[in-house]
Amino acid sequence: MILQRLKEETRVQHEEVEAAVDVMNQMFDLADYKRLLEKFWSFYAQYEPKLPLDELRNSDFDYSNRVKLPLLEADAKVLGLERSSNEIELPDLSSPAKALGSLYVIEGSTLGGQVISRHLKQHLGLTAENGGAFYAGYGQETGSMWKAFGESLTKFAGAGNADDEIVDAAKETFACITKWVGRKTNTAAISS
Ligand code: HEM
């Protein structure tokens, strides 16, 4: 129920973020890829430390085996990326309901990540070992990781009355990511 609501109520926002990312474009080259990854690296470097991991664990959801920052750091090292030090507008993650709603977007993006990963391998020769680790993500485990997340979220939502809070957090997360990824310039940067 909650998953269906999230999918329907964020459908347009998914289209918007897809357009902002624009990675499936035939003209998308390695320089574009590096710029995009710098965006995501900068985002996750500020986002993941703000997740209330202990509260999530108390709500029966463990994010610790899902962290994306190490993958981005590995790619950054291989590709020599620079991370933006600009303060990024982040969604409110101050309750388990908000954090889980936000993580719907983060975990859901691993599904599209598989499509993107295949495209990057085909067009730019990128694999998990040479700069494509973030998009390779959970690899063959992607389906089962998504299913497990969906079960945790459904259980959490079923036990409470926080569906609106969950959906609002997902919308806010899509909005923050689209705004940040779509923004053209980065000033001050931190080297990898
Ligand atoms: C060009 C970039 C992208 C492509 C091609 C893409 C494609 C896809 C595909 C094929 C799915 C699976 C649909 C299904 O199995 O039902 C999916 C799901 C999803 N993607 Fe994306 N995606 C992209 C970018 C993103 C980004 C950047 C985010 C968020 C940061 C995102 C969030 C989601 C979410 C939350 C879902 C789960 C939808 C659901 O079933 O409820 N996607 N995407």
Side-chain angles (χ1 to χ4, degrees):
M1 191 66 184
I2 186 69
L3 283 174
Q4 199 182 335
R5 211 185 131 184
L6 281 162
K7 187 169 186 161
E8 279 166 14
E9 293 192 28
T10 63
R11 196 182 302 277
V12 173
Q13 284 188 294
H14 187 274
E15 284 167 15
E16 285 166 1
V17 83
E18 251 188 80
V21 165
D22 200 24
V23 57
M24 304 298 277
N25 180 339
Q26 294 299 321
M27 303 296 285
F28 191 88
D29 62 15
L30 189 61
D32 296 323
Y33 176 69
K34 287 184 176 184
R35 267 193 298 274
L36 181 65
L37 217 54
E38 282 174 345
K39 287 280 188 176
F40 277 113
W41 181 26
S42 307
F43 183 87
Y44 278 90
Q46 295 186 31
Y47 175 90
E48 281 192 336
K50 289 216 158 66
L51 284 167
L53 296 184
D54 291 339
E55 275 188 80
L56 284 170
R57 219 172 278 122
N58 292 338
S59 299
D60 256 356
F61 179 68
D62 187 7
Y63 184 74
S64 60
N65 60 338
R66 295 172 179 263
V67 283
K68 317 287 184 282
L69 202 49
L71 301 174
L72 286 156
E73 282 167 351
D75 290 341
K77 206 167 177 181
V78 175
L79 299 169
L81 303 184
E82 292 190 328
R83 179 158 71 74
S84 168
S85 62
N86 287 356
E87 197 179 324
I88 301 170
E89 195 180 323
L90 294 175
D92 182 354
L93 301 171
S94 62
S95 71
K98 289 188 172 77
L100 284 169
S102 179
L103 285 172
Y104 159 78
V105 180
I106 302 300
E107 292 304 306
S109 73
T110 65
L111 299 175
Q114 290 303 291
V115 181
I116 295 171
S117 180
R118 280 195 291 277
H119 180 85
L120 292 172
K121 187 172 180 189
Q122 214 174 348
H123 291 270
L124 300 175
L126 288 162
T127 65
E129 287 71 39
N130 69 1
F134 174 63
Y135 282 103
Y138 305 136
Q140 295 196 337
E141 307 299 321
T142 304
S144 57
M145 292 294 275
W146 173 245
K147 191 163 172 268
F149 173 75
E151 283 164 4
S152 295
L153 178 58
T154 302
K155 194 169 156 210
F156 177 87
N161 193 16
D163 285 17
D164 289 344
E165 200 181 347
I166 293 169
V167 174
D168 285 349
K171 288 182 178 170
E172 199 188 338
T173 303
F174 265 119
C176 288
I177 295 176
T178 304
K179 190 169 167 192
W180 171 244
V181 171
R183 210 166 111 180
K184 286 281 176 271
T185 48
N186 281 344
T187 48
I190 302 167
S191 283
S192 57

